[in-house]
């Protein structure tokens, strides 16, 4: 193996290794240069076959990357040498396909992409590996055969699909929440996407151009599948390009293009001129190999300096070994050789010097590339450092925010602990109060016992009688309180919400009375002790009275026992009344449940009756529609005729009633108990639908056979769709999913056929077209003149009444508008001259009016374009007037200027459609059109500049705001941004609908439907 082959093997092994880092550019470039040196890929495959690609996924991934580079930038013979290994690559792809994640899955997808690329270039050898072709070369690949273009487009779709699959697989395998593009592992996965981006941009460009080519040769319906597939791939490719352009790794290596907002409209041939080919830009290195000084061969032969000789000697030593005494390249030993041998040696040296020069250039290129990579790495590290500092600042801000939240949490925790302590203190006091109450109760019992003892020992009759009377009064009071308690309990049965509060109040009253009684007993006990000494002498005399008092006490005790029994009876009665009340409530609840069940059954019965009524109505409607359908084949109906206009009115009425039927259906689904609106809608729609079918049959008797068959078939299809829709209304399982879309489509088809059968009348006779062209062109010129005059008047008025910035802005805007009007005027005049040349060269012996009448479609285009220009000039002047007065919007002025540019473009297109390409006025017209575009750009620029001068930009002061307030303001701003984006999206959709409707109305007014026929 030679030195060069050994160097190639080393570079291949260094490029394809098991380390999870991106392939170094110098090793890949060496591999590419090697294929050009040996004019093939034999060395590459001989080295790759010895690598364990089937056992190491990272190794296989990097092999795919290098192989992709060789297919793109290597020698053309790389593809031929690699086709013999296609089956092995297929087997390896299937083997790695058993893994569902990691490099195994990525290698499987990448191998499929490479196999697809090899097959594509084998089938289409005119496409180079890097896919760079001119439009002429792309045109030649189809060989002027539409079938070849059709098949080539399908193959490009398959090719681009494989590219997109690899794109999505790589992004789905990365954690996009981290900065994966600055890590070695992330760059290892992202590096091959550069080749994918280069291929995808070319495939997208060629696909767009081929589709426009196919649409110019084939019907639009035939290419519906191509358009759907292109739109799907367009959305994916646009999203992937956008995501890639935001990655830091790609920003320093490649400039990724952005696709347009909307996909190209292939149904409009002029949209091809709006297509801009996406260009992927790879930033140029700091130095280029082409900038190195080139040394001529003669100079190399005549070098005698020692430094140059040593340089070449070292190169020779490195490549061929140290020279010996028998070295044939030693000139000192060649003095005796012949002239022919010397010439051969010189030629051999020329070849070696050229190879050394190439090696030296490669070394310089690699050194400069290494320097560029190091500089890029330094820039990347600086960017990473800035990002880390930003993250550090964010972390500090979040730390302060978390500290503030932690302090708030601590404060809340302290408040909670204080509340817990207060609650514990309250519970402790409650327990102490309860213990105190228990002690008082025990003390009260003890005092009662002592009082009874004192009563038996006390001889004071008066005190005892007072005590007995007081006890009797207390018992009466207790009785009254018990009665009140019973009454209160009765009320509590009616008002359960106040039961606990009232009971608590009664207990508190009782406790208070008991406490008062204890106090009175204490006082009585003290008085008794004081009087006991006084009354000792009278004890004997009052013994008999004592017996009487004892009997009275016994009587009072019996009375107390009786009262206690009565109290117990009242409690029992209260309990029994509670039970009776609960049973009554339970009975009422059962009655309520039975009533609800009855109401539900009645409601269900009502719903069943409503649905049965709907079914009966629908069956009658089906009968009416079937009767109308039977009229289509009835021989007796052949004599009935109708007009297309009446058919359209009937069809439109049926469509309106269908909308009402759809609303009634929705109302019935939301409220099944009300079927009135649906029944009325079904009845009305049925009669109108039957009338439409009958009128369609009658109209078919007045038109040619082919159109009559189409109309009858549309009527039958509509009738069958109506019957199908009615069948779904009768079934409860399909009632909610019943859809009248197909019925609406059938009715629209009938109306479309009716419009085609409608006689195409003209508002203007063809003989009058010539006069009308002259009138419209004259009116357009007059409108432009009037607009110019008004602008000059506004400019004079503004100079007289305005000053400062407003005057400057108004002058700039009005001057640009004046320039635009002059440009439009020049274009109108040039267009008139060109039209005159067209009429003179094309009318022959016919008159000018006859020429306009003969080319009526072209004439109507001129009339429409002239009207649009005049109208645009008038609107522009009105908008400028409003802006100068401060009442209008700058955006309206910009839109008006764009509208004038579009109208003049329409006038130019209508004027030059029949012009000779060598006509001098045609060149003037193009120059005038260019002047209009420049004037329009000037109006837009001056308007934007004036708007920026007048509008004030408020700067917000965030210095006094806290972190929480800033976060809140940030959230509000995000919400406002989302709202504005939503409104912008809705307004764009509305603008698209308006443009679509304008396109349809313009087509109807100019008879585009006749061109379709």
């Amino acid at each position: 193996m030679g030195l060069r082959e050994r160097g190639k093997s080393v570079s291949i092994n260094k490029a394809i290794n098991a380390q999870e880092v991106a392939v170094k550019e110098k090793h890949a470039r060496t591999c590419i240069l090697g294929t050009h040196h040996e004019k093939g890929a034999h060395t590459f495959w001989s080295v790759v076959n010895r690598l364990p690609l089937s056992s190491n996924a990272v190794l296989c991934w990097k092999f795919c990357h290098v192989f992709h580079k060789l297919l793109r930038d290597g020698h053309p013979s790389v593809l031929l040498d690699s086709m013999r290994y296609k089956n092995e690559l297929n087997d390896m792809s299937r083997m790695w396909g058993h893994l569902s994640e990691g490099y195994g899955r990525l290698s499987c997808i990448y191998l499929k992409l490479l196999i697809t690329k090899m097959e594509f270039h084998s089938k289409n050898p005119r496409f180079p590996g890097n896919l760079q072709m001119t439009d002429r070369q792309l045109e030649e690949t189809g060989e002027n055969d539409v079938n070849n273009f059709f098949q080539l487009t399908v193959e490009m779709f398959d090719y681009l699909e494989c590219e997109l699959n690899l794109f999505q697989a790589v992004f789905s395998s990365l954690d996009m929440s981290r900065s994966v593009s600055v890590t070695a592992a992330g760059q290892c996965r992202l590096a091959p996407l550069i080749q994918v981006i280069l291929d995808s941009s070319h495939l997208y460009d060629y696909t767009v151009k081929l589709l426009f080519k196919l649409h110019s040769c084939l019907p639009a319906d035939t290419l519906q599948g191509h358009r759907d597939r292109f739109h799907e791939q367009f959305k994916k490719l646009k999203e992937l390009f956008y995501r890639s352009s935001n990655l830091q790794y790609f920003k320093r290596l490649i400039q990724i293009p952005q696709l347009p907002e909307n996909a190209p409209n292939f149904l409009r041939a002029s949209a091809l001129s709006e297509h801009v080919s996406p260009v992927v830009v790879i930033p140029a290195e700091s130095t280029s190999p082409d900038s190195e000084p080139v040394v001529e061969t003669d100079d190399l032969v005549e070098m005698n300096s020692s430094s140059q000789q040593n340089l070449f000697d070292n190169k020779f030593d490195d490549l061929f070994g140290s020279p010996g005494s028998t070295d044939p390249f030693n000139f000192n030993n060649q003095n005796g050789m012949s002239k022919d041998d010397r010439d051969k040696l010189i030629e051999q040296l020329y070849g070696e010097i050229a190879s050394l020069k190439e090696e030296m250039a490669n070394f310089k290129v690699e050194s400069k590339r290494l320097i560029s990579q190091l500089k890029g790495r330094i820039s990347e590290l600086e960017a990473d450092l800035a990002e880390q500092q930003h993250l550090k600042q964010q972390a500090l801000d979040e730390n302060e925010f978390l500290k503030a939240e932690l302090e708030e949490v601590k404060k809340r925790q302290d408040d909670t602990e204080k509340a817990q302590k207060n609650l514990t203190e309250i519970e402790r006091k409650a327990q102490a109060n309860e213990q105190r109450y228990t002690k008082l109760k025990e003390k009260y019992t003890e005092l009662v016992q002592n009082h009874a003892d004192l009563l038996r020992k006390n001889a004071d009759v008066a005190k005892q009688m007072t005590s007995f009377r007081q006890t009797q009064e207390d018992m009466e009071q207790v009785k009254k309180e018990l009665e009140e308690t019973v009454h209160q309990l009765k009320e509590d049965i009616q008002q359960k919400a106040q039961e606990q509060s009232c009971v608590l109040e009664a207990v508190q009253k009782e406790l208070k009375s008991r406490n008062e009684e204890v106090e009175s007993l204490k006082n009585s006990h003290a008085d008794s002790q004081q009087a006991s000494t006084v009354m000792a002498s009278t004890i004997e005399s009052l013994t008999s009275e004592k017996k009487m008092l004892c009997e009275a006490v016994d009587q009072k005790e019996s009375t107390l026992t009786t009262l206690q029994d009565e109290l117990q009876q009242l409690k029992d009665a209260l309990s029994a009344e509670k039970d009776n009340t609960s049973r009554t409530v339970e009975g009422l609840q059962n009655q309520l449940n039975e009533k609800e069940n009855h109401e539900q059954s009645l409601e269900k019965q009502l719903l069943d009756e409503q649905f049965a009524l709907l079914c009966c109505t629908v069956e009658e409607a089906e009968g009416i529609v079937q009767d109308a359908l039977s009229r289509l084949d009835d021989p007796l109906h052949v004599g009935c005729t109708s007009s297309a206009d009446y058919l359209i009115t009937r069809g439109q009425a049926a469509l309106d009633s269908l909308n009402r039927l759809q609303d009634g259906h929705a109302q019935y689904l939301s409220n099944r108990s009300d079927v009135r609106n649906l029944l009325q809608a079904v009845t009305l729609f049925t009669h109108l639908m039957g009338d439409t079918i009958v009128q369609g049959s009658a109209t078919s008797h007045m038109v040619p056979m082919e159109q009559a068959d189409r109309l009858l078939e549309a009527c039958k299809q509509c009738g069958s769709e109506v019957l199908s829709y009615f069948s779904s209304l009768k079934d409860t399982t399909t009632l909610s999913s019943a859809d009248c879309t197909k019925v609406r489509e059938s009715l629209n088809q009938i109306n479309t056929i009716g419009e085609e059968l409608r006689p195409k009348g003209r508002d203007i006779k063809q003989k009058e077209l010539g006069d009308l062209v002259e009138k419209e062109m004259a009116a357009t010129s007059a409108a432009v003149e009037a607009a110019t005059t008004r602008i000059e008047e506004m400019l004079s008025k503004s100079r007289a009444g305005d000053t400062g910035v407003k005057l400057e802005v108004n002058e700039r805007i009005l001057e640009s508008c004046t320039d635009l009007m002059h440009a439009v005027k020049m274009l109108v005049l040039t267009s008139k001259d060109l039209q005159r040349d067209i009429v003179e060269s094309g009318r022959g012996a016919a008159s000018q009016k006859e020429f306009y009448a003969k080319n009526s479609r072209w004439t109507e285009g001129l009339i429409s374009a002239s009207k649009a220009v005049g109208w645009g000039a008038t609107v522009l002047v009105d908008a400028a007037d409003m802006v100068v007065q401060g009442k209008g919007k700058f955006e309206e002025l910009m839109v008006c200027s764009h509208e004038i540019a579009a109208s003049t473009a329409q006038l130019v297109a209508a004027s030059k459609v029949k012009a000779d390409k060598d006509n001098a006025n045609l060149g003037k017209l193009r120059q005038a059109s260019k002047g209009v575009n420049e004037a329009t750009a000037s109006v837009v620029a001056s308007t934007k500049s004036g708007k920026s001068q007048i509008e004030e930009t408020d700067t917000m002061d965030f210095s006094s705001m806290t972190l929480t307030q800033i976060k809140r303001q940030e959230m509000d701003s995000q919400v406002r941004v989302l709202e504005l984006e939503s409104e912008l999206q809705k307004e764009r959709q509305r603008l698209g609908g308006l443009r679509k409707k304008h396109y349809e109305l313009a087509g109807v007014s100019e008879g585009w439907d006749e061109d379709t026929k």
Side-chain angles (χ1 to χ4, degrees):
M1 180 184 294
L3 181 61
R4 183 174 296 172
E5 285 76 15
R6 188 181 299 110
K8 293 177 185 177
S9 301
V10 172
S11 297
I12 294 171
N13 286 318
K14 287 183 178 180
I16 306 174
N17 55 47
Q19 296 180 1
E20 194 176 359
V21 295
V23 177
K24 291 187 178 180
E25 190 65 23
K26 62 179 182 179
H27 300 320
R29 183 174 293 276
T30 303
C31 297
I32 294 171
L33 293 175
T35 60
H36 288 281
H37 288 161
E38 67 174 345
K39 294 180 174 54
H42 300 289
T43 304
F44 174 79
W45 281 108
S46 64
V47 176
V48 168
N49 287 332
R50 295 194 296 269
L51 297 177
L53 300 180
S54 300
S55 59
N56 192 318
V58 177
L59 198 67
C60 184
W61 174 256
K62 299 180 76 172
F63 155 73
C64 295
H65 185 190
V66 176
F67 184 40
H68 197 174
K69 280 179 169 288
L70 293 183
L71 290 176
R72 279 186 52 82
D73 303 324
H75 194 271
S77 299
V78 172
L79 177 63
L80 300 176
D81 296 338
S82 303
M83 286 301 295
R84 68 186 68 176
Y85 301 98
K86 175 182 173 184
N87 293 332
E88 296 179 10
L89 296 179
N90 266 322
D91 296 337
M92 194 184 304
S93 175
R94 285 194 295 269
M95 187 271 293
W96 285 118
H98 295 294
L99 299 179
S100 60
E101 58 183 4
Y103 282 97
R105 177 171 174 270
L106 296 179
S107 299
C108 173
I109 299 174
Y110 207 169
L111 287 169
K112 291 180 180 179
L113 168 60
L114 295 176
I115 294 169
T116 305
K117 182 177 180 67
M118 294 166 62
E119 292 175 351
F120 177 82
H121 289 289
S122 298
K123 294 179 182 178
N124 305 280
R126 296 190 181 185
F127 282 84
N130 56 11
L131 295 175
Q132 293 182 0
M133 296 181 69
T134 62
D135 292 344
R136 183 179 182 84
Q137 292 173 339
L138 181 64
E139 185 76 16
E140 292 174 355
T141 56
E143 299 177 354
N144 292 327
D145 189 352
V146 70
N147 295 322
N148 294 340
F149 286 115
F150 191 94
Q151 182 62 29
L152 181 60
T153 307
V154 174
E155 293 173 359
M156 284 191 175
F157 279 142
D158 297 336
Y159 192 178
L160 185 57
E161 188 71 26
C162 294
E163 303 276 4
L164 295 176
N165 290 337
L166 180 60
F167 233 129
Q168 291 177 335
V170 171
F171 276 114
S172 62
S173 66
L174 296 174
D175 184 9
M176 303 308 292
S177 62
R178 300 183 296 108
S179 300
V180 294
S181 64
V182 298
T183 62
Q187 292 177 1
C188 182
R189 299 192 184 194
L190 292 173
L193 295 186
I194 296 177
Q195 311 301 318
V196 175
I197 292 171
L198 292 170
D199 287 346
S200 300
S201 62
H202 291 300
L203 290 174
Y204 166 77
D205 184 27
Y206 300 156
T207 305
V208 171
K209 294 176 181 177
L210 289 176
L211 283 176
F212 274 110
K213 178 72 175 178
L214 290 174
H215 278 80
S216 65
C217 302
L218 297 176
D221 295 337
T222 306
L223 300 172
Q224 181 64 41
H226 279 53
R227 290 197 301 274
D228 294 341
R229 192 172 183 186
F230 174 81
H231 289 157
E232 180 181 359
Q233 292 183 351
F234 173 81
K235 293 178 181 178
K236 293 181 181 178
L237 186 61
K238 180 180 178 182
E239 179 185 3
L240 294 173
F241 274 9
Y242 176 77
R243 293 179 63 184
S244 301
S245 62
N246 292 329
L247 292 179
Q248 185 67 30
Y249 176 69
F250 289 117
K251 289 182 178 179
R252 66 181 183 84
L253 295 178
I254 189 171
Q255 183 177 345
I256 302 174
Q258 295 298 325
L259 298 185
E261 184 69 21
N262 299 317
N265 184 8
F266 301 107
L267 301 179
R268 185 167 56 90
S270 60
L272 178 59
S273 61
E274 301 173 1
H275 169 66
V276 179
S277 300
V279 179
V280 180
V281 179
I282 297 179
E285 298 178 350
S286 59
T287 58
S288 174
D290 299 334
S291 63
E292 296 180 4
V294 179
V295 183
E296 297 295 336
T297 305
D298 296 337
D299 297 336
L300 290 174
V301 175
E302 295 174 357
M303 285 192 306
N304 293 321
S305 65
S306 60
S307 60
Q308 293 173 338
Q309 185 65 37
N310 292 334
L311 174 63
F312 285 112
D313 290 342
N314 293 334
K315 284 295 179 180
F316 276 98
D317 294 343
D318 294 340
L319 294 175
F320 306 106
S322 300
S325 60
T326 60
D327 190 354
F329 296 99
N330 191 348
F331 291 102
N332 297 325
N333 295 330
Q334 298 295 329
N335 294 330
M337 64 174 55
S338 63
K339 183 177 181 180
D340 294 337
D341 294 338
R342 189 180 297 109
D343 293 339
K344 292 180 180 178
L345 182 60
I346 290 174
E347 291 178 357
Q348 186 177 359
L349 286 175
Y350 282 167
E352 295 297 332
I353 288 171
S355 64
L356 287 173
K357 176 184 174 183
E358 186 176 359
E359 292 293 337
M360 187 181 298
N362 292 335
F363 291 151
K364 289 183 178 180
V365 169
E366 292 299 328
S367 63
K368 291 173 182 178
R369 181 175 292 277
L370 183 60
I371 292 172
S372 176
Q373 289 180 352
L374 291 176
K375 289 181 179 179
R377 182 60 179 170
I378 291 171
S379 301
E380 182 180 352
L381 291 175
E382 291 177 353
D384 293 342
L385 179 60
E387 184 178 359
Q388 294 297 329
Q389 290 177 352
H390 179 65
L391 293 175
K392 178 181 177 182
Q393 186 64 31
Q394 287 184 347
L396 292 175
D397 295 339
E398 291 180 357
N399 189 17
E400 294 178 358
F401 181 71
L402 291 175
K403 284 182 179 180
E405 288 188 348
L406 182 61
E407 291 179 357
E408 292 180 0
V409 171
K410 287 182 178 179
K411 290 181 180 179
R412 294 176 183 174
Q413 187 176 2
D414 294 340
D415 295 339
T416 305
E417 290 178 356
K418 290 180 181 179
Q420 188 68 28
K421 290 180 181 179
N422 293 333
L423 180 60
T424 306
E425 185 68 21
I426 291 171
E427 291 179 352
R428 187 181 61 78
K429 290 182 179 179
Q431 291 178 359
N433 290 332
E434 186 176 357
Q435 292 177 359
R436 190 179 296 110
Y437 173 73
T438 304
K439 291 180 181 179
L440 289 174
K441 185 177 180 181
E442 293 176 355
K443 190 67 175 177
Y444 169 73
T445 304
E446 183 180 356
L447 289 174
V448 170
Q449 186 66 31
N450 293 334
H451 179 65
D453 295 338
L454 289 173
L455 286 175
R456 284 193 296 269
K457 294 179 181 180
N458 195 357
D460 191 353
V461 177
K463 292 292 182 180
Q464 289 180 355
M465 290 298 296
T466 303
S467 177
F468 284 132
R469 289 174 183 173
Q470 187 176 0
T471 302
Q472 185 176 3
E473 291 176 357
D474 292 339
M475 293 303 297
E476 290 178 355
Q477 185 177 359
V478 169
K479 183 177 180 181
K480 290 179 180 179
E481 289 177 357
L482 290 174
E483 290 177 355
E484 292 177 356
T485 302
V486 171
H487 182 69
Q488 187 68 26
L489 289 174
K490 290 181 180 179
E491 291 180 354
D492 290 341
I493 294 174
Q494 298 176 357
Q495 301 177 356
K496 293 182 179 180
Q498 301 177 358
E499 181 177 357
Q500 294 180 356
S501 61
C502 293
V503 172
L504 181 61
E505 183 180 358
V507 172
Q508 288 177 353
K509 287 182 180 180
E510 185 178 359
L511 179 60
K512 184 176 181 182
S513 63
R514 295 300 182 184
N515 291 334
E516 291 177 355
E517 184 177 356
V518 169
E519 292 295 330
S520 64
L521 289 175
K522 286 182 179 179
N523 295 331
S524 173
H525 178 66
D527 293 339
S528 297
Q529 285 180 351
Q530 292 176 2
S532 60
T533 55
V534 179
M535 295 298 174
S537 61
T538 58
I539 290 174
E540 294 179 356
S541 62
L542 297 176
T543 302
S544 58
E545 293 180 4
K546 182 180 178 181
K547 292 180 180 180
M548 294 174 64
L549 290 174
C550 289
E551 292 177 358
V553 169
D554 293 338
Q555 186 178 359
K556 296 297 183 181
E557 288 179 354
S558 61
T559 304
L560 180 61
T561 303
T562 304
L563 291 174
Q564 290 178 351
D565 293 338
E566 291 178 357
L567 179 60
Q568 185 64 32
Q569 291 177 0
L570 289 173
K571 288 181 178 180
D572 294 339
L574 180 61
S575 176
E577 190 173 356
K578 279 185 178 181
D579 294 338
N580 293 331
T581 304
S582 62
R583 285 194 294 271
T584 304
V585 171
E586 184 177 359
L588 293 173
Q589 186 66 34
N590 293 333
Q591 292 179 2
L592 181 61
N593 292 335
E594 291 177 357
K595 185 177 180 181
E596 290 179 354
N597 294 332
H598 183 63
E599 289 179 355
Q600 291 178 357
S601 63
L602 291 176
E603 185 177 358
K604 183 178 179 182
Q605 183 178 0
L606 177 61
L607 293 178
D608 293 340
E609 292 177 355
Q610 295 276 6
F611 185 71
L613 182 60
L614 175 61
C615 291
C616 294
T617 305
V618 171
E619 289 177 357
E620 291 294 331
E622 288 178 344
I624 294 173
V625 175
Q626 289 175 353
D627 179 66
L629 290 174
S630 64
R631 301 284 183 89
L632 298 178
D633 300 326
D634 189 359
L636 300 178
H637 189 62
V638 176
C640 297
T641 59
S642 181
S643 64
D645 292 331
Y646 187 69
L647 174 61
I648 292 171
T649 58
R650 292 292 86 195
Q652 188 60 42
L655 278 175
D656 296 339
S657 64
L658 182 61
N659 295 330
R660 182 178 175 185
L661 175 60
Q662 189 175 5
D663 296 338
H665 181 214
Q667 293 177 4
Y668 177 67
L669 291 178
S670 61
N671 184 12
R672 296 291 182 93
S673 61
D674 187 8
V675 76
R676 178 181 53 188
N677 294 332
L678 181 58
L679 294 179
Q680 293 176 354
V682 168
T683 304
L684 178 61
F685 174 72
T686 302
H687 288 287
L688 292 175
M689 190 68 246
D691 191 14
T692 302
I693 294 174
V694 172
Q695 295 302 325
S697 175
T699 305
S700 66
H701 300 152
M702 299 293 293
V703 298
M705 183 63 66
E706 182 180 355
Q707 296 176 342
D709 293 339
R710 287 180 56 206
L711 182 57
L712 290 176
E713 184 63 28
C715 292
K716 292 179 181 179
Q717 179 67 21
C718 184
S720 60
E721 294 297 342
V722 171
L723 293 177
S724 176
Y725 177 64
F726 283 164
S727 299
S728 61
L729 291 180
K730 292 193 300 182
D731 191 357
T732 56
T733 58
T734 59
L735 176 61
S736 58
S737 61
D739 189 8
C740 59
T741 303
K742 293 184 178 180
V743 178
R744 191 185 308 279
E745 292 175 354
S746 300
L747 279 172
N748 288 329
Q749 185 178 4
I750 293 175
N751 288 341
T752 302
I753 296 173
E755 289 289 347
E756 294 176 357
L757 299 177
R758 210 171 186 177
K760 299 291 187 280
R762 295 291 181 189
D763 296 336
I764 303 173
K765 296 181 180 180
Q766 291 186 348
K767 295 181 180 179
E768 301 175 1
L769 287 176
D771 297 335
L772 187 59
V773 170
E774 296 297 333
K775 291 179 181 178
E776 288 299 332
M777 294 300 292
T780 301
S781 300
V784 173
E785 286 289 346
T788 305
T789 304
R790 284 189 61 190
I791 292 174
E792 292 177 353
E793 292 176 356
M794 286 188 288
L795 182 58
S796 301
K797 185 177 180 181
S798 177
R799 288 173 178 172
D802 298 329
T803 58
V805 176
K806 186 175 181 181
L807 176 59
E808 180 184 353
V809 171
N810 290 343
E811 284 182 347
R812 191 185 306 123
I813 292 175
L814 292 177
E815 287 175 357
S816 61
C817 292
T818 303
D819 295 339
L820 177 59
M821 289 296 103
H822 286 309
V824 172
K825 179 181 177 181
M826 182 62 64
L827 185 139
V828 172
L829 295 176
T830 308
S831 175
K832 291 172 66 176
D833 295 338
L834 180 60
Q835 292 168 22
R836 190 179 302 109
D837 292 345
I838 293 172
V839 173
E840 292 297 331
S841 61
R843 66 185 178 89
S847 63
Q848 183 176 358
K849 294 184 179 180
E850 290 176 351
F851 178 80
Y852 280 123
K854 180 180 178 182
N855 300 275
S856 59
R857 185 60 45 76
W858 175 69
T859 305
E860 290 173 357
L862 288 177
I863 294 172
S864 177
S866 300
K867 289 181 178 179
V869 172
W871 176 81
T874 304
V875 174
L876 176 66
V877 173
D878 293 338
D881 190 10
M882 296 299 291
V883 169
V884 170
Q885 294 179 8
K887 300 178 182 179
K889 298 180 179 179
F890 290 93
E891 291 80 3
E892 184 177 356
L893 187 59
M894 289 188 283
V895 171
C896 291
S897 61
H898 284 301
E899 187 66 28
I900 287 183
S903 301
T904 54
Q906 180 183 357
L907 181 60
V908 170
S911 298
K912 71 180 183 179
V913 67
K914 289 184 175 294
D916 188 3
K917 63 180 181 180
D918 297 329
N919 194 314
N921 286 325
L922 180 59
K924 295 180 180 179
L925 181 64
R926 291 173 178 168
Q927 191 66 27
S929 177
K930 183 178 178 181
V932 171
N933 292 333
E934 293 175 354
T936 302
S938 176
V939 171
V940 174
S942 61
T943 304
K944 289 182 179 179
S945 176
K947 180 181 178 182
S948 63
Q949 282 185 296
I950 292 179
E951 291 182 347
E952 295 182 356
T953 304
D954 297 331
T955 57
M956 298 183 64
D957 184 13
F958 302 107
S959 59
S960 61
M961 299 177 67
T962 63
L963 179 61
T964 305
Q965 292 174 343
I966 291 176
K967 191 67 177 177
R968 180 62 183 175
Q969 293 291 336
E970 181 182 354
M971 293 175 63
D972 294 340
S973 298
Q974 291 176 354
V975 170
R976 181 59 180 164
V977 168
L978 293 176
E979 291 177 352
L980 292 176
E981 288 178 351
S982 177
E983 293 178 1
L984 177 61
Q985 184 66 23
K986 292 179 180 178
E987 197 63 28
R988 282 177 174 169
Q989 293 177 356
R990 181 172 178 270
L991 177 60
L994 290 173
R995 286 177 175 173
K996 181 178 180 182
K997 190 63 178 178
H998 176 265
Y999 183 79
E1000 293 175 356
L1001 293 176
V1004 172
S1005 63
E1006 297 191 9
W1008 294 351
D1009 52 352
E1010 293 183 0
D1011 294 340
T1012 305
K1013 293 180 182 179

